[in-house]
């Protein structure tokens, strides 16, 4: 079953998607997966019998969602980010493209509160947006084979964090000092669809101090979210 | 204590089960055995498998009992033998239980006219689940064992074999099918009648670049009249996506969680297992069903 919210990747559509996602998740239906993306939710049933029994239930529920009745369990995050040259592999390209300074890019990136559209591409990878228009940058023409774990990337009007080493085409502008996906935790992903995420700039020394603490997901929630 | 050790890995040796569900919204692939029919059959002989199956492709592994004794069963069509501790060799058959004692080594040589085979071990392999599943997704590095198995990997099985009785079922001897019924995909309307016509009337060859993530096909290019680049959306195994080169890819168990290519059609669950058993070079055709 596919729920289609319109042909657009706007934030207002995504807010509707994520509301519907949490409503469906809380119905307690025997579903294998509920996969939200920018403008759609794909629902996977265990078998066609369960599908036929529940399509109507979900459709009715969707018609009843009222914006004011939705209680958000989403978190607001303030995440330390180090934009040092040793991490910001593509900062020079962005500086050149936008004819601006390193400081201005850092200011712009850390001035916004981003919306978590959805988690995808790899375990725990958040699609965040929208970045200030002065930072909008196309993907790399040739994707990197190895992006370091915890790298912050930007591409088009989105920013992201790579949970672990991965190939990828986003422009890398910094790094965060901890892991955002923990397989040992029953809730393995630090970020959930609908969360608000902002970054604050830390220097290399502060970065290392936080890194040394090896925060668990539960400690990160206490330390960096509200 | 009973333990077994991998003495030869064969190819693509991983732990799999029926899949890892409820985490795809966090970017985690469903994974699971490529041919789920076989592990379902193995359940009849080794009911206490604890959902921990060893999957291999083309060339099977050798496993040796290091300590104690174990009961196993192999599923899939394969050639294999047991090298007994006393030097004798016994040829054995799939879908029949096998009792292995200290020093015995089971050698699975190859799968016959198919790709994937499985080993079920009574009482499992002593593994802990990872996100509620034992399956390994090697690309994402997720699993009870988050990588392919290697030589010297040792598994400890705490419980003893429940009975030495021999159990067997007839070999299901799955027919090799090359014509697949497919159902309309979510972006079917991206393709003109002419493109659809060439999709169902031409023969596609399975490419050697196929793996647990997707079976890549080579043949008549099917071009979308709209776009080959859609807003990424949730995908599921069995979807047939068409990137801009027009060569379809059948998405398999280790899918990425969302995808940005239009999906022309989708296979049913049984056929995902069937198509997984076709080796590179096999030729297939599609038959588009109108009723969904």
């Amino acid at each position: 079953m596919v729920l289609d919210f319109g042909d657009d990747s706007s934030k207002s559509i995504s807010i509707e998607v994520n509301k519907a996602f949490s409503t469906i998740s809380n119905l307690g239906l025997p579903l294998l997966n509920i996969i939200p993306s920018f403008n759609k939710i794909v629902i996977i049933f265990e078998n066609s019998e369960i599908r036929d029994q529940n399509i109507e239930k979900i459709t009715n529920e969707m018609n009843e969602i009222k914006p004011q009745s939705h209680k958000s369990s989403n978190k607001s995050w303030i995440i330390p980010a180090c934009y040092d040259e040793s991490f910001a592999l593509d900062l020079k390209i962005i500086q050149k493209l936008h004819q601006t300074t390193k400081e201005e890019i850092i200011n712009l990136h850390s001035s916004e509160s981003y919306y978590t559209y959805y988690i995808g591409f790899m375990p725990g990878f958040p699609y965040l947006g929208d970045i200030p228009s002065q930072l909008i940058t196309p993907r790399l023409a040739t994707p990197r084979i190895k992006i370091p774990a915890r790298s912050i990337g930007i591409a088009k009007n989105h920013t992201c964090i790579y949970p672990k080493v991965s190939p990828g085409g986003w422009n890398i502008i910094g790094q965060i000092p901890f892991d955002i996906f923990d397989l040992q935790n029953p809730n393995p992903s630090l970020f959930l669809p609908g969360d608000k995420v902002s970054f604050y700039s830390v220097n290399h020394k502060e970065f290392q101090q936080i890194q040394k603490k090896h925060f668990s997901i539960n400690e990160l929630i206490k330390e960096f979210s509200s | 204590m009973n333990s077994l050790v991998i003495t030869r890995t064969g190819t693509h040796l991983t732990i799999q089960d029926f899949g890892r569900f409820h985490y795809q919204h966090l970017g985690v692939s469903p994974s699971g055995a490529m041919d789920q029919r076989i592990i379902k059959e193995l359940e009849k002989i080794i009911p206490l498998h604890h959902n921990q199956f060893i999957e291999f492709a083309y060339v099977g592994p050798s496993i040796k009992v290091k300590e104690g004794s174990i009961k196993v069963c192999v599923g899939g069509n394969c050639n294999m033998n047991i090298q007994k501790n006393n030097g004798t060799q016994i040829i054995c058959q799939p879908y029949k239980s096998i009792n292995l004692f200290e020093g015995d080594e089971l050698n699975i040589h190859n799968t016959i006219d198919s790709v994937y085979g499985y080993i079920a071990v009574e009482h499992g392999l002593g593994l802990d689940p990872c996100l509620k599943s034992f399956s390994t997704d090697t690309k994402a590095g997720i699993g009870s064992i988050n990588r392919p198995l290697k030589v010297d990997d040792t598994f400890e099985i705490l419980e003893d074999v429940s009975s030495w009785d021999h159990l067997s079922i007839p070999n299901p001897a799955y027919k090799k099918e090359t014509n697949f019924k497919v159902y309309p995909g979510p972006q079917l309307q991206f393709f003109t009648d002419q493109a659809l016509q060439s999709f169902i009337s031409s023969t596609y060859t399975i490419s050697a670049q196929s793996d647990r993530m997707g079976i890549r096909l080579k043949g008549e290019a099917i071009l979308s009249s709209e776009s080959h680049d859609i807003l990424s959306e949730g995908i599921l195994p069995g979807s047939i996506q068409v990137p801009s080169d027009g060569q379809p890819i059948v998405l398999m168990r280790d899918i990425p969680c969302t995808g940005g290519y239009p999906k022309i059609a989708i296979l049913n669950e049984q056929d995902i297992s069937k198509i997984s058993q076709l080796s590179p070079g096999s030729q297939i055709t599609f038959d588009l069903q109108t009723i969904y």
Side-chain angles (χ1 to χ4, degrees):
Chain A
M1 181 180 189
V2 180
L3 305 178
D4 193 340
F5 292 77
D7 272 343
D8 187 358
S9 60
S10 73
K11 194 168 150 185
S12 60
I13 285 186
S14 178
I15 289 171
E16 290 307 310
V17 168
N18 286 322
K19 267 185 210 169
F21 170 75
S22 66
T23 306
I24 299 164
S25 311
N26 290 329
L27 287 177
L29 301 175
L31 306 173
L32 287 185
N33 272 310
I34 314 166
I35 321 161
S37 55
F38 287 114
N39 60 339
K40 279 183 189 144
I41 297 180
V42 174
I43 301 172
I44 301 172
F45 299 92
E46 278 174 22
N47 53 51
S48 51
E49 206 175 308
I50 286 173
R51 178 190 65 203
D52 297 342
Q53 285 165 7
N54 288 299
I55 279 190
E56 205 185 320
K57 238 180 243 176
I58 292 173
T59 318
N60 288 345
E61 200 65 36
M62 289 301 97
N63 295 334
E64 277 167 24
I65 296 187
K66 294 179 193 75
Q68 56 273 37
S69 71
H70 175 78
K71 247 195 219 150
S72 167
S73 55
N74 286 119
K75 295 186 176 68
S76 292
W77 297 93
I78 303 174
I79 302 290
C82 183
Y83 299 93
D84 252 32
E85 273 160 37
S86 54
F87 299 133
L89 309 174
D90 299 312
L91 206 63
K92 289 230 163 75
I93 304 177
I94 300 166
Q95 263 173 260
K96 210 172 155 194
L97 181 78
H98 297 291
Q99 297 287 318
T100 181
T101 62
K102 180 187 162 191
E103 289 70 27
E104 182 60 13
I105 294 171
I106 297 171
N107 270 336
L108 283 168
H109 188 261
S110 56
S111 66
E112 283 287 324
S113 167
Y114 301 112
Y115 177 77
T116 307
Y117 281 89
Y118 71 97
I119 311 289
F121 175 62
M122 65 189 291
F125 180 104
Y127 282 85
L128 307 168
D130 293 350
I131 59 175
S133 55
Q134 304 96 301
L135 285 183
I136 293 177
T137 307
R139 280 165 176 274
L140 296 176
T142 312
R144 276 200 177 79
I145 292 166
K146 244 183 175 176
I147 289 176
R150 306 164 168 188
S151 289
I152 303 168
I154 59 174
K156 297 185 184 164
N157 48 348
H158 296 111
T159 182
C160 74
I161 303 168
Y162 283 89
K164 54 179 280 184
V165 178
S166 156
W170 296 55
N171 303 273
I172 303 306
I173 59 162
Q175 202 172 108
I176 67 162
F178 42 74
D179 283 333
I180 58 169
F181 195 82
D182 176 10
L183 288 166
Q184 307 311 319
N185 195 304
N187 301 308
S189 180
L190 190 66
F191 304 114
L192 292 175
D195 281 3
K196 289 205 170 76
V197 181
S198 52
F199 295 94
Y200 69 95
S201 173
V202 295
N203 63 35
H204 203 265
K205 203 177 157 198
E206 293 164 317
F207 177 90
Q208 284 176 321
Q209 279 165 354
I210 303 169
Q211 196 174 30
K212 269 188 214 144
K213 292 187 183 166
H214 298 287
F215 285 119
S216 69
I217 293 262
N218 293 338
E219 288 165 341
L220 289 171
I221 292 173
K222 264 185 226 147
E223 199 79 18
F224 300 105
S225 82
S226 58
Chain B
M1 171 71 73
N2 308 290
S3 67
L4 68 87
V5 59
I6 308 284
T7 49
R8 190 176 51 83
T9 58
T11 48
H12 305 292
L13 198 66
T14 58
I15 307 288
Q16 297 296 338
D17 61 10
F18 292 98
R20 177 176 286 108
F21 302 106
H22 313 295
Y23 289 103
Q24 204 170 340
H25 66 289
L26 300 180
V28 179
S29 151
S31 298
M34 285 291 271
D35 189 341
Q36 308 222 338
R37 298 170 303 176
I38 296 180
I39 59 172
K40 197 91 201 138
E41 288 296 317
L42 288 176
E43 275 193 323
K44 296 175 186 164
I45 305 159
I46 309 279
L48 301 171
H49 50 67
H50 293 0
N51 265 327
Q52 300 161 32
F53 301 93
I54 297 175
E55 179 181 271
F56 52 90
Y58 307 107
V59 181
S62 290
I63 60 171
K64 189 169 186 171
V65 179
K66 216 168 153 185
E67 212 181 318
S69 43
I70 58 168
K71 183 174 200 162
V72 304
C73 185
V74 176
N77 272 343
C78 26
N79 290 313
M80 53 187 177
N81 68 22
I82 304 165
Q83 179 72 47
K84 296 291 287 178
N85 198 13
N86 63 12
T88 56
Q89 254 188 28
I90 304 168
I91 306 251
C92 50
Q93 302 298 326
Y95 303 103
K96 290 182 181 0
S97 67
I98 301 168
N99 298 323
L100 295 172
F101 302 93
E102 200 158 306
D104 291 354
E105 186 174 44
L106 172 67
N107 302 300
I108 302 173
H109 306 303
N110 58 294
T111 50
I112 306 162
D113 208 18
S114 57
V115 178
Y116 291 96
Y118 297 86
I119 309 169
V121 179
E122 193 181 55
H123 305 303
L125 295 158
L127 300 171
D128 292 320
C130 171
L131 301 181
K132 296 181 192 154
S133 162
F134 297 95
S135 285
T136 304
D137 178 348
T138 54
K139 285 206 174 79
I142 288 182
S144 302
I145 297 179
N146 65 0
R147 52 165 174 80
L149 299 181
K150 46 184 205 228
V151 168
D152 287 338
D153 275 344
T154 303
F155 301 94
E156 293 187 343
I157 301 133
L158 295 174
E159 288 150 283
D160 291 330
V161 171
S162 59
S163 146
W164 300 115
D165 291 353
H166 283 286
L167 277 177
S168 68
I169 55 166
N171 187 333
Y174 300 114
K175 230 177 75 203
K176 200 166 170 176
E177 281 176 51
T178 54
N179 177 255
F180 291 90
K181 281 184 184 158
V182 292
Y183 301 87
Q187 284 81 34
L188 184 76
Q189 78 282 6
F190 277 42
F191 301 90
T192 59
D193 286 349
Q194 202 187 344
L196 283 177
Q197 199 52 46
S198 66
F199 176 61
I200 54 175
S201 63
S202 52
T203 301
Y204 288 93
T205 307
I206 293 182
S207 136
Q209 262 94 54
S210 304
D211 58 15
R212 284 187 44 87
M213 192 185 267
I215 291 185
R216 288 167 182 270
L217 302 175
K218 282 186 293 196
E220 182 96 25
I222 334 159
L223 296 176
S224 164
S225 52
E226 292 197 23
S227 165
H228 285 277
D229 187 11
I230 61 166
L231 214 47
S232 275
E233 62 183 38
I235 49 180
L236 57 159
S239 306
I240 303 175
Q241 65 178 22
V242 187
S244 53
D245 64 1
Q247 302 293 311
I249 300 171
V250 184
L251 298 172
M252 297 301 282
R253 309 288 182 190
D254 288 349
I255 42 167
C257 303
T258 50
Y261 296 122
K263 293 165 288 293
I264 189 170
I266 182 160
L267 290 169
N268 70 24
E269 171 56 40
Q270 283 289 316
D271 284 355
I272 302 171
S273 291
K274 282 181 196 163
I275 202 169
S276 77
Q277 293 291 11
L278 299 178
S279 50
S282 303
Q283 299 203 317
I284 61 169
T285 51
F286 294 110
D287 188 3
L288 187 64
Q289 308 293 300
T290 45
I291 313 149
Y292 190 48

